Amino acid sequence: MKQTDPLSISQLKLSSSSSLEAPGSPLPQANMAGELLKSHKHSLSPKDVILIKVEGSQETWGENDDSTDPNYDTIEGNGHSDSTTFDADLTEYKKKATIIVEEYFSTNDVVSVANELKELGMAEYRYYFVKKLVSMAMDRNDKEKEMAAFLLSTLYADVIDPPEVYRGFNKLVASADDLSVDIPDAVDVLAVFVARAIVDDILPPAFLKKQMNLLPDESKGVDVLKKAEKSYLAAPLHAEVVEKRWGGADNWTAEDVKGRINDLLKEYVMSGDKKEAFRCIKVLKVPFFHHEIVKRALIMAMERQKAQAKLLDLLKEAVEVGLINTTQVTKGFSRIIDLVEDLSLDIPEARSVLQSFISKAASEGWLCASSLKSLSAGEKLLENSSANVFKDKAKSIVREYFLSGDTSEVVHCLETEPSASSSQLRAIFFKYLITLAMDRKKREKEMACVLVCSLGFPAKDVRNAFSMLIESADDTALDNPVVVEDLAMFLARAVIDEVLAPRDLEELLSQTPEPGSTVGGKVIQTAKTLLEARLSGERILRCWGGGGIETKSPGCTVSEVKEKIQVLLEEYVSGGDLKEACRCVKELGMPFFHHEVVKKSVVRIIEEQEKKERVWKLLKVCFDSGLVTIYQMTKGFKRVGESVEDLSLDVPDAAEKFSCCVERAKLEGFLDESFAFEETQGKKENGSSSSAPT
């Protein structure tokens, strides 16, 4: 029997006698039983009829469709024995799928959707979830469209099988005429979804041609496919254009929402139009972030005494009509209690005013005062003064770095800061770096990842920093609704960049109480999901524009970059073209990873491979031209020093040879006189780099 494409749906109809219909023959509308049979073909005997469904086709039962035949079997799987049960199950699945999609658009919780789909089961109906997700997103804002595209890419293969994704888009394209009735721009929007699916590698490019051959020429589905192909996929830099069509990860930020909340509160204070204020709150569509409305309304009430009654009345009625729930109100008040010391600097009576607000809200029944923290003074202990000073400096260093992009300046600042040698304070610096980056755009997030690689902090310090970030994730979520996605991406990126080892994720997860029930637990689970996804390395490196961004090349994994470095060294040693070698190093587009060039060069010298002087010349020229900084040079030598013990297995006198390399590097001027081989020995324990050179 001829093998069929697992991602396509054949027009061929096979009977028990293996007779084939002509591929071009017209096939009438399929019935529901045949569709179900496709999903449960494993339950049929090889002697029975085999039916493969196509959109717009009809299957006919073969000669052996006889319940008296010993080889005949009823359709199993989910217990279906007739079309009535099938229809009931599909109807139930549709209802639950709609609820899951609605909740996802409200919470943006990818992990929750994955878990709910797995619990729901009935994997053969997941094509309907794909169709429902996209069709609902088409009638909403760009934010929901981007969320839908991201969810499909995340669930692909892991939760939703490729054939079900293919079938879901098949259904969508076939129903383009119906969608156009309710959504005027359905053709354009669906074309973007199809193009995005192809760019994200969840649909094969052949989908376009195959579906065009199946659809009538005058249908809207054909228009969708042609527009996807010609307007989006054929354009220059089409992948970037399609990925940013709905704003991508920058579609909205916590700062955007906070700004809108501020505006609606100011307008309400001026107009007093409560109905309009409620409408604006609904339009935000962030019920999990309503505590920010409570917080900002209370602060505004403290600052504007004349508006106090109006603002408190707004909060009271919002709770009474169910627009803001009591949990969000409690969170909002709790956040103000945490800030009361700072607020007192600008509003001296802040503590007493807040106490009066709590009493009023509790007496009116829209706040449970017993669930709040105490407002008594002196509850917070002052932290160590030197740590506080370092925190201020850390914030200043990070902000300046985001403006200048100068990693060497940050390295210099930390090296000249005595307190930065403390493991605890290094973790604090790392925490501030990631926290500030999460509140900014893609550029700063990518810069933070580059700086983390350049600093070369021990893995233990990085792990401790992430532990602190995860512990405070619940509080961070109050200010940043997308903290799970952002922090999970930083965690996954640290693993891809080899700043953390994969086993560190398990250790972090073991330290989290009830993983999955807290924001911190969701962060780790999401990071693991990202790392397990297909082509995860490339996608994570490119998520914020990294992986060769300086040369506009596609993202590369760390192993691929290492391989490129190995190849360029071999080509340089054999050919001796110094200029070409320097060009190749520059085109890597990863200056924060140049220590790998240094490491592989020094290892080559130690192993006494041919033409060692050429390698020394390359190192000197790279250093003198500024291509490799002294920090990257030092880090490269340190990494070799840490792996001397492994090198000694192949080169017994590796330690002596490395000492000679260090002395020569000092004479050449690209290693500081303070560098000593003894300092690098034994540091393998800190986890910064314990792998043998390759």
Side-chain angles (χ1 to χ4, degrees):
M1 186 180 293
K2 185 177 179 180
Q3 184 66 33
T4 58
D5 181 354
L7 287 179
S8 66
I9 303 173
S10 174
Q11 292 187 11
L12 301 180
K13 180 180 68 178
L14 308 181
S15 71
S16 57
S17 60
S18 299
S19 60
L20 300 179
E21 264 190 37
S25 63
L27 301 174
Q29 177 64 32
N31 60 35
M32 205 60 97
E35 187 173 327
L36 182 61
L37 182 58
K38 177 178 181 290
S39 301
H40 296 278
K41 59 187 178 183
H42 62 277
S43 66
L44 299 178
S45 168
K47 296 180 182 180
D48 284 331
V49 62
I50 299 174
L51 298 166
I52 302 176
K53 182 185 178 297
V54 65
E55 197 67 33
S57 71
Q58 177 183 3
E59 298 87 21
T60 57
W61 295 102
E63 301 279 341
N64 290 347
D65 185 13
D66 182 2
S67 58
T68 62
D69 192 300
N71 289 322
Y72 177 81
D73 193 8
T74 58
I75 297 170
E76 299 173 356
N78 287 322
H80 301 302
S81 60
D82 54 54
S83 61
T84 305
T85 309
F86 171 83
D87 290 342
D89 280 358
L90 182 58
T91 302
E92 183 65 20
Y93 187 90
K94 287 181 177 180
K95 290 179 183 177
K96 291 181 178 179
T98 303
I99 294 170
I100 292 172
V101 173
E102 290 282 4
E103 288 180 354
Y104 171 63
F105 286 151
S106 297
T107 63
N108 200 12
D109 190 342
V110 176
V111 176
S112 177
V113 174
N115 292 336
E116 286 174 2
L117 284 176
K118 288 176 181 177
E119 289 173 10
L120 184 56
M122 295 188 278
E124 68 273 17
Y125 298 147
R126 285 181 185 157
Y127 74 90
Y128 179 79
F129 177 81
V130 174
K131 179 184 175 184
K132 193 65 179 176
L133 174 68
V134 174
S135 60
M136 288 177 68
M138 287 172 65
D139 203 20
R140 302 202 179 201
N141 298 321
D142 285 355
K143 171 178 171 258
E144 284 81 7
K145 293 183 180 78
E146 176 62 29
M147 287 170 65
F150 177 80
L151 181 65
L152 287 177
S153 178
T154 305
L155 299 183
Y156 178 77
D158 184 33
V159 178
I160 305 177
D161 292 334
E164 295 302 307
V165 174
Y166 190 104
R167 190 177 175 198
F169 275 95
N170 182 326
K171 296 275 188 184
L172 283 163
V173 173
S175 61
D177 292 275
D178 296 332
L179 291 169
S180 298
V181 175
D182 299 316
I183 308 169
D185 58 344
V187 170
D188 182 63
V189 176
L190 187 53
V192 179
F193 268 111
V194 172
R196 176 66 178 268
I198 291 172
V199 168
D200 286 344
D201 291 329
I202 64 174
L203 266 187
F207 174 86
L208 300 174
K209 295 295 181 187
K210 288 183 179 180
Q211 295 306 307
M212 279 188 199
N213 293 334
L214 296 175
L215 295 169
D217 292 339
E218 67 279 2
S219 73
K220 296 278 188 185
V222 171
D223 296 339
V224 168
L225 298 169
K226 287 181 178 177
K227 192 172 186 66
E229 183 178 30
K230 295 177 181 178
S231 299
Y232 295 109
L233 294 173
L237 301 174
H238 68 273
E240 185 176 0
V241 171
V242 171
E243 285 177 348
K244 292 185 177 179
R245 181 67 170 77
W246 296 315
D250 288 335
N251 191 50
W252 67 287
T253 65
E255 289 304 316
D256 294 333
V257 178
K258 291 175 184 178
R260 292 177 190 175
I261 291 171
N262 247 0
D263 292 342
L264 79 86
L265 289 175
K266 287 177 182 176
E267 287 177 13
Y268 168 69
V269 169
M270 292 175 65
S271 66
D273 190 342
K274 203 176 292 179
K275 188 176 179 181
E276 175 63 16
F278 288 168
R279 187 193 69 79
C280 291
I281 293 173
K282 288 178 182 176
V283 168
L284 287 175
K285 294 182 181 178
V286 285
F288 52 88
F289 203 49
H290 282 170
H291 53 80
E292 183 70 21
I293 298 173
V294 177
K295 172 197 164 189
R296 289 181 179 269
L298 293 174
I299 292 175
M300 195 175 287
M302 289 180 183
E303 294 171 340
R304 306 182 185 189
Q305 193 170 0
K306 292 182 180 179
Q308 282 184 7
K310 192 181 286 188
L311 287 164
L312 292 175
D313 189 48
L314 175 72
L315 294 177
K316 176 188 174 185
E317 193 162 331
V319 174
E320 289 174 349
V321 300
L323 185 58
I324 300 178
N325 63 45
T326 52
T327 302
Q328 295 293 313
V329 173
T330 303
K331 280 186 179 180
F333 271 93
S334 296
R335 293 179 65 200
I336 293 293
I337 291 173
D338 291 337
L339 294 172
V340 74
E341 294 293 340
D342 295 331
L343 287 171
S344 297
L345 299 175
D346 299 316
I347 310 170
E349 66 279 9
R351 189 180 297 276
S352 59
V353 173
L354 179 57
Q355 186 62 63
S356 69
F357 288 169
I358 292 172
S359 301
K360 180 177 173 63
S363 64
E364 291 176 349
W366 54 278
L367 173 68
C368 179
S370 61
S371 61
L372 297 176
K373 301 175 185 177
S374 172
L375 257 177
S376 57
E379 200 169 343
K380 280 191 173 182
L381 296 174
L382 288 175
E383 294 179 39
N384 183 276
S385 58
S386 63
N388 287 331
V389 171
F390 178 77
K391 287 178 182 179
D392 292 335
K393 288 184 179 179
K395 289 179 183 177
S396 175
I397 291 171
V398 172
R399 290 193 179 105
E400 286 180 12
Y401 168 65
F402 285 155
L403 292 173
S404 67
D406 190 347
T407 55
S408 59
E409 180 62 24
V410 178
V411 172
H412 174 72
C413 289
L414 292 177
E415 285 176 346
T416 56
E417 178 62 42
S419 55
S421 59
S422 162
S423 176
Q424 183 181 2
L425 295 184
R426 281 198 297 264
I428 289 173
F429 176 84
F430 186 99
K431 179 188 174 184
Y432 274 115
L433 172 66
I434 302 301
T435 302
L436 291 173
M438 283 196 294
D439 249 351
R440 304 200 178 202
K441 301 290 185 182
K442 278 186 177 182
R443 172 181 172 273
E444 286 79 8
K445 289 171 182 170
E446 177 62 26
M447 289 173 69
C449 292
V450 170
L451 183 59
V452 168
C453 290
S454 299
L455 291 173
F457 284 166
K460 181 181 178 183
D461 294 347
V462 176
R463 189 171 59 247
N464 289 341
F466 271 113
S467 180
M468 292 162 63
L469 285 162
I470 289 167
E471 284 176 12
S472 61
D474 287 278
D475 295 330
T476 308
L478 300 176
D479 294 313
N480 183 0
V482 292
V483 65
V484 173
E485 293 78 9
D486 282 351
L487 191 50
M489 189 59 78
F490 274 113
L491 193 54
R493 178 65 179 267
V495 174
I496 294 296
D497 286 341
E498 295 188 341
V499 176
L500 281 181
R503 66 175 179 274
D504 290 325
L505 292 185
E506 298 299 332
E507 186 171 337
L508 288 170
L509 189 62
S510 66
Q511 296 170 2
T512 306
E514 299 180 17
S517 63
T518 62
V519 174
K522 290 178 181 177
V523 166
I524 301 172
Q525 294 289 5
T526 304
K528 292 176 71 175
T529 302
L530 289 169
L531 289 165
E532 291 167 0
R534 186 165 165 261
L535 302 175
S536 61
E538 291 84 347
R539 291 189 178 188
I540 293 169
L541 273 174
R542 291 168 56 190
C543 66
W544 294 315
I549 189 172
E550 294 179 12
T551 56
K552 296 182 175 60
S553 64
C556 297
T557 62
V558 172
S559 58
E560 287 173 338
V561 176
K562 288 181 177 180
E563 187 177 344
K564 287 181 179 180
I565 292 171
Q566 186 70 28
V567 170
L568 79 85
L569 282 175
E570 288 173 358
E571 288 181 355
Y572 165 67
V573 169
S574 61
D577 190 339
L578 187 58
K579 187 176 180 180
E580 176 65 15
C582 290
R583 185 189 66 79
C584 290
V585 172
K586 187 175 183 180
E587 283 195 353
L588 289 172
M590 302 177 76
F592 53 88
F593 202 56
H594 283 170
H595 55 80
E596 182 70 18
V597 178
V598 178
K599 175 194 167 187
K600 288 191 179 295
S601 298
V602 175
V603 168
R604 194 177 189 93
I605 293 168
I606 291 173
E607 290 177 343
E608 287 193 328
Q609 296 185 17
E610 70 281 0
K611 301 174 183 176
K612 290 187 291 184
E613 288 304 316
R614 278 188 181 178
V615 181
W616 278 112
K617 189 175 181 181
L618 175 64
L619 288 176
K620 183 166 177 58
V621 170
C622 285
F623 178 76
D624 291 343
S625 64
L627 187 58
V628 177
T629 64
I630 191 167
Y631 174 77
Q632 292 292 315
M633 191 69 73
T634 304
K635 186 175 180 181
F637 271 86
K638 279 185 178 178
R639 291 182 63 203
V640 177
E642 289 163 2
S643 58
V644 159
E645 188 176 337
D646 296 325
L647 273 170
S648 299
L649 299 175
D650 298 318
V651 185
D653 57 345
E656 295 174 15
K657 289 182 176 179
F658 179 62
S659 295
C660 294
C661 289
V662 170
E663 293 306 315
R664 176 160 178 178
K666 289 180 181 179
L667 291 173
E668 296 283 0
F670 47 80
L671 262 190
D672 191 86
E673 288 294 332
S674 60
F675 183 91
F677 171 42
E678 288 74 22
E679 293 179 6
T680 66
Q681 290 182 329
K683 284 191 179 180
K684 292 172 78 173
E685 297 174 359
N686 67 16
S688 59
S689 178
S690 58
S691 60
T694 56

